[in-house]
Amino acid sequence: DEYAAEPIDQQEIFDHIRDIKDPEHPYSLEDLKVITEDAIEVDDKKSRVRVTFTPTVEHCSMATVIGLCLRVKLIRCLPRRYKVDIRVAPG
């Protein structure tokens, strides 16, 4: 059925966000280990995606910008039925 919703998985989400550049460095968030595939949770049945990222330093002044970049990228790439939740890793 061409109108059936296709499931989305962790790898697909990671592929969408892995190349986002860090605002302060010429490297991607993947290169800097700010995001990892393991820090992505997808509940396709409830249409929810949660990404937890780890800033490069404890008191990163760009954490808000990184979070907004992740959110905007996913909202633009995913079907509208998905709720996107972006979190900063504890500590």
Side-chain angles (χ1 to χ4, degrees):
D1 183 10
E2 66 183 86
Y3 297 106
E6 291 185 34
I8 291 178
D9 62 10
Q10 227 177 356
Q11 180 64 49
E12 185 173 348
I13 299 299
F14 187 68
D15 288 343
H16 283 302
I17 61 176
R18 71 188 319 158
D19 295 327
I20 295 174
K21 299 291 183 198
D22 185 275
E24 296 182 314
H25 304 286
Y27 303 106
S28 72
L29 298 180
E30 177 188 23
D31 293 338
L32 295 170
K33 306 289 188 237
V34 171
I35 57 163
T36 62
E37 191 174 343
D38 293 336
I40 298 170
E41 300 171 42
V42 179
D43 185 341
D44 198 58
K45 290 181 182 176
K46 293 183 179 178
S47 298
R48 293 183 180 174
V49 172
R50 176 181 293 159
V51 177
T52 302
F53 71 96
T54 306
T56 54
V57 294
E58 187 175 324
H59 298 290
C60 178
S61 62
M62 291 288 139
T64 303
V65 174
I66 292 170
L68 287 171
C69 288
L70 291 168
R71 183 172 177 74
V72 168
K73 177 72 173 190
L74 290 175
I75 286 172
R76 289 181 178 176
C77 294
L78 296 176
R80 298 181 99 185
R81 67 184 174 98
Y82 281 91
K83 179 185 183 306
V84 176
D85 185 23
I86 307 296
R87 296 185 177 198
V88 178

